[in-house]
Amino acid sequence: MSASENSSTIVTRFAPSPTGFLHIGGARTALFNWLFARHHGGKFLLRIEDTDRARSTQPAIDAILDGMRWLGLDWDGEPVFQFARADRHAEVANQMLAAGHAYRCYATPEELEAMRAEQREKKLPMRYDGRWRDRDPSEAPAGAPFVIRLKAPREGAVTIHDRVQGDVTVQNAELDDMILLRSDGTPTYMLAVVVDDHDMAVTHVIRGDDHLNNAFRQLTIYRAMGWPEPVYAHVPLIHGADGAKLSKRHGALGVEAYRDEMGMLPEAVCNYLLRLGWGHGDDEFISREDAIRWFDIGQVGKAPSRFDQKKLEHLNGHYIRESENARLATLVRPDVEALLGHELTDFEADVLLRSMEFIKPRAKNLKEIAASALFLFRNRPIAMDESAKALLDDPSKTILGLVFAALEPVADWTADTLDGVIRQVAEAQELKLGKVAQPLRAALTGQATSPGIFDVLLLLGRDESLGRISDQMTN
Ligand code: GLU
């Protein structure tokens, strides 16, 4: 850790382009930036890179902010919108021009195309050849359009001391004089990022390693302006289980899909993303407090990590079991109501809340919880699924009749009493408890699996339980 990382001046940022939703890789980048800033008591800023006017959309911006809020990645201050800062970017390009660190290039598109064609033919690297670098602008045709290009150093090399990738060096000869300001006066992405990071006082740039090549060019701008350089940390991208870069094909979806379609809890997603490329010993479950305490960007691995849905589900199951029942009930209620096609009454909402204790131990996601709770709210006579039907053969229906007769007089509808009564029925018939419990479960739930049978009897209550048994029994 460098000395500067002990100070409270650490500033990180997340800089998504709002051309799509907050995908899972972006969420991890945001998380790492957030954790690094929080660990050091610094600031975590948000910049929306909306300069691609054709592809940037308000719904994408909303989805990104919404996704970050859901993950609990709060940013400091207001988000910065890059497009609104175009004048400032142009100002810096003009400063560089005035200082001799940039120059006007009047090369026409046709001319550049001819240059590239020649490079292609001679199998030379394709890059701008610097034809206006040392020419006097007075040679330009009057009023001709121009771009402003960086006068990049041609000798020597640039080395980035990347916190994740280590030292990475590129020869300056390999970097051409990139455009800073286009002929219509709009800044290029490369310029905008550097100016914004500088103006936002960003000290640490943590982002996907697909931006590593940009860092060399971006450093040239910092150096030309004499600005303090940020520390870079380029994090390997997430790959799918097959080793290829994560894409839609792998189900690399927006984070809202993990929430809305897969029923994940945000702490499970964060814990999972945290451990994708970073770890703390063998710790599997890492609380947010511990993550803040332990996170160090320098320990992020260089190798790409593979996305593993099973591990995510495993973590999700853990966090579901740890969750307060009231929270779970609130989260699953809209799904339960949608599946039932009607709203829950207050009484039913209370049943849902009480059922969480029995349903959550086995659930991997909130969708499963909603599906598992549905039987509680079905109208009689409830439908039997195939496995329930199989349990309800004639002898079982007769047993249900005996169970009904034994339960009907019970006024004290408590777990202990119910347990005693059902056991008595089994003993009297010289049956194992399961032989009584299984048809009873089928009659009460319409399924062959459910929470414990006494819990089900309690959740449904006396009248509903007796009603459901009578619907299936033979007298
Ligand atoms: N807007 C870029 C992206 O979404 C990130 C740029 C950066 O982090 O420097 O990939």
Side-chain angles (χ1 to χ4, degrees), residues 4 44 54 73 86 94 111 200 222 237 329:
S4 65
F44 169 64
L73 305 178
N94 283 306
E111 220 183 301
M200 291 162 76
Y222 280 98
L237 299 179

Side-chain angles (χ1 to χ4, degrees), residues 173-194:
E174 286 174 33
L175 306 172
D176 62 2
D177 289 347
M178 64 178 161
I179 299 178
L180 300 172
L181 210 61
R182 300 188 190 91
S183 56
D184 63 0
T186 59
T188 56
Y189 163 73
M190 215 65 88
L191 174 68
V193 168
V194 173

Side-chain angles (χ1 to χ4, degrees), residues 1 3 16 66 84 98 105 108 144 167 199 213 224 246 262 266 276 303 309 323 339 356 393 395 423:
M1 184 188 298
D66 184 47
C105 166
T108 62
D167 284 358
D199 289 0
N213 284 331
L246 201 63
M262 296 178 227
L276 218 45
Q309 184 80 13
S323 278
L339 289 166
M356 291 300 109
D393 53 9
R423 273 175 210 284

Side-chain angles (χ1 to χ4, degrees), residues 13 15-17 47 49 189 193 197 205-207 210-211 218:
R13 60 22 170 216
S17 306
R47 179 170 73 237
E49 302 209 316
Y189 163 73
V193 168
D197 281 340
V205 171
I206 302 171
R207 61 188 174 191
D210 49 337
H211 286 283
Q218 291 170 1

Side-chain angles (χ1 to χ4, degrees), residues 47 93 147 153 440:
R47 179 170 73 237
V147 298
L440 181 55

Side-chain angles (χ1 to χ4, degrees), residues 313-357:
E313 279 175 6
H314 178 67
L315 285 168
N316 203 46
H318 166 82
Y319 285 105
I320 282 177
R321 290 189 291 283
E322 300 253 296
S323 278
E324 299 271 342
N325 295 335
R327 175 189 180 209
L328 294 176
T330 305
L331 288 172
V332 303
R333 182 170 175 172
D335 272 341
V336 170
E337 292 180 332
L339 289 166
L340 285 172
H342 60 80
E343 292 188 3
L344 296 184
T345 62
D346 288 350
F347 175 79
E348 288 172 324
D350 185 56
V351 172
L352 179 67
L353 171 60
R354 287 189 290 121
S355 73
M356 291 300 109
E357 189 62 27

